[in-house]
């Protein structure tokens, strides 16, 4: 998808413009921007991941644990799953392992967001502030760095 396609899909710079007006819930229903906690969050992570990706499947529980810990500590933090799953069934099965909301399966904004944030592989976790500005380009690398004393939530918390 070229730059002009991205501009057409993402029509503004607000966080809502970037992420879209509708998100998936685990029960198969959808919620609008205003019905979600995303619109009120101080920090938002976009989790680019796929069910066919081995590193993604290993990382999802780490991110889920960090998310739950952040919520338990009162952090105003939300995660949004941006799927690269091959089929809708794969998407639904994988998404049910996550405690957060998701962009709709095959939402055109996902490809546009990948271009905007220069996502080159999976998994990638882009951390944004409430205005949609990048706070951390890839939390995956930070949270899984073998050479770091801090991993998972302990590595992420300073960016929330």
């Amino acid at each position: 998808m070229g730059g002009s396609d991205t501009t057409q899909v993402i029509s503004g710079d607000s966080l809502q413009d970037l992420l879209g007006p509708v998100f998936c819930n685990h029960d198969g229903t959808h919620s609008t921007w205003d019905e979600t906690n995303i619109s009120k969050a101080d920090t938002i992570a976009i989790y680019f991941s796929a069910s066919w990706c081995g590193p993604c499947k290993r990382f999802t529980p780490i991110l889920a644990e960090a998310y739950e810990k952040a919520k338990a500590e009162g952090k105003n933090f939300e995660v949004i799953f941006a799927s690269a799953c091959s089929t809708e069934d794969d998407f639904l099965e994988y998404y049910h392992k996550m405690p957060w909301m998701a962009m709709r399966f095959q939402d055109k904004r996902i490809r546009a967001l990948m271009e905007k944030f220069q996502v080159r592989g999976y998994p990638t976790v882009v951390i944004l502030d409430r205005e949609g500005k990048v706070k951390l380009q890839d939390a995956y690398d930070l949270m899984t760095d073998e050479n770091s004393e801090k991993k998972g939530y302990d590595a992420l918390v300073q960016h929330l």
Side-chain angles (χ1 to χ4, degrees):
M1 184 180 296
S4 62
D5 291 334
T6 300
T7 320
Q8 291 172 358
V9 173
I10 298 176
S11 60
D13 290 326
S14 75
L15 196 55
Q16 184 177 0
D17 292 332
L18 292 173
L19 300 175
V22 178
F23 302 91
C24 297
N25 299 307
H26 286 96
D27 64 3
T29 62
H30 294 88
S31 292
T32 65
W33 174 262
D34 292 329
E35 295 170 330
T36 71
N37 289 332
I38 299 164
S39 64
K40 301 166 199 74
D42 292 328
T43 307
I44 298 95
I46 306 174
Y47 181 36
F48 297 93
S49 183
S51 59
W52 47 259
C53 167
C56 298
K57 289 196 270 188
R58 288 187 295 277
F59 180 69
T60 296
I62 295 167
L63 184 58
E65 181 181 337
Y67 174 80
E68 296 292 352
K69 191 168 185 178
K71 300 303 268 181
E73 291 185 3
K75 304 284 185 206
N76 195 1
F77 171 60
E78 290 298 329
V79 176
I80 302 162
F81 174 41
S83 170
C85 295
S86 302
T87 68
E88 190 165 10
D89 286 343
D90 290 344
F91 163 77
L92 292 171
E93 183 179 333
Y94 188 44
Y95 175 50
H96 282 287
K97 298 174 182 169
M98 301 174 191
W100 45 75
M101 302 199 81
M103 296 178 78
R104 292 177 291 176
F105 178 67
Q106 294 187 332
D107 187 323
K108 291 179 182 178
R109 283 180 181 81
I110 296 171
R111 175 67 53 204
L113 289 167
M114 290 179 69
E115 289 181 19
K116 179 175 181 63
F117 297 120
Q118 301 175 355
V119 174
R120 301 288 178 243
Y122 303 103
T124 297
V125 182
V126 178
I127 306 291
L128 307 173
D129 67 14
R130 69 174 31 210
E131 272 77 51
K133 294 186 179 24
V134 176
K135 291 176 77 171
L136 183 62
Q137 187 63 37
D138 191 2
Y140 169 74
D141 288 340
L142 178 76
M143 294 173 71
T144 59
D145 183 353
E146 292 297 322
N147 297 317
S148 176
E149 290 181 24
K150 293 182 178 181
K151 293 183 179 44
Y153 178 76
D154 293 335
L156 181 64
V157 70
Q158 66 188 351
H159 299 281
L160 300 183

